[in-house]
Amino acid sequence: KMNLELAATDEMIAIASRVKPQDVCIVPERREERTTEGGLNLKESYDHLYRATQNLTEQGSRVSLFIAPDLKDIDLAKKMGAPVIEIHTGRYADAKDEGTKQKELKRVKDAVASGKALPMALREQRVQAGT
């Protein structure tokens, strides 16, 4: 099996359409994007990401979206037709104080629970907190 991780650029979608990997994970394009630290911005990029998801699905790939642990984003991913979501846990991993760490852990747990309630697969990206 091949899992291709890519930004939803026209060039990368064209490559994925030629290669036809079994799985495609759509991630933010550039590190300076706000979304790299928290997942794709589904609200602002909905139409573009919807088209990318549909194109990749039609060519036979199972699409996952790398998103923040945000309940609205989970609903948008489902509306988009993505059968899989991957939850970004970076804020939890980077938390310096226990209060922030527990708040972020709750966000991740709530997102996982919400994702499991929908008819889609959920991959938890496990991130180790630095010491």
Side-chain angles (χ1 to χ4, degrees), residues 66-67 69 87-94 108 124-127:
F66 183 65
I67 62 174
I87 302 295
H88 182 272
T89 59
R91 285 185 172 179
Y92 167 76
D94 293 337
V108 171
E124 295 175 59
Q125 182 188 27
R126 300 198 184 273
V127 178

Side-chain angles (χ1 to χ4, degrees), residues 17-35:
S17 295
R18 284 194 305 276
V19 174
K20 298 188 184 332
Q22 288 85 358
D23 294 290
V24 174
C25 180
I26 300 177
V27 299
E29 183 176 0
R30 291 182 291 280
R31 180 135 192 93
E32 54 273 3
E33 290 180 66
R34 173 204 69 84
T35 56

Side-chain angles (χ1 to χ4, degrees), residues 36-116:
T36 300
E37 296 307 322
L40 292 162
N41 189 329
L42 299 186
K43 185 176 179 184
E44 284 185 18
S45 303
Y46 183 86
D47 291 337
H48 178 71
L49 291 170
Y50 175 81
R51 284 190 303 276
T53 299
Q54 295 305 305
N55 289 341
L56 292 166
T57 298
E58 288 171 10
Q59 61 91 24
S61 293
R62 182 176 70 161
V63 177
S64 66
L65 300 174
F66 183 65
I67 62 174
D70 180 276
L71 303 182
K72 290 178 184 174
D73 282 350
I74 292 169
D75 289 340
L76 286 173
K78 176 60 183 163
K79 183 178 173 186
M80 223 174 262
V84 180
I85 56 175
E86 298 192 28
I87 302 295
H88 182 272
T89 59
R91 285 185 172 179
Y92 167 76
D94 293 337
K96 303 293 184 218
D97 65 87
E98 193 59 32
T100 302
K101 187 173 226 168
Q102 291 308 311
K103 176 184 167 193
E104 292 304 323
L105 180 58
K106 181 177 181 340
R107 285 182 70 220
V108 171
K109 286 180 177 182
D110 289 349
V112 169
S114 179
K116 284 183 176 181

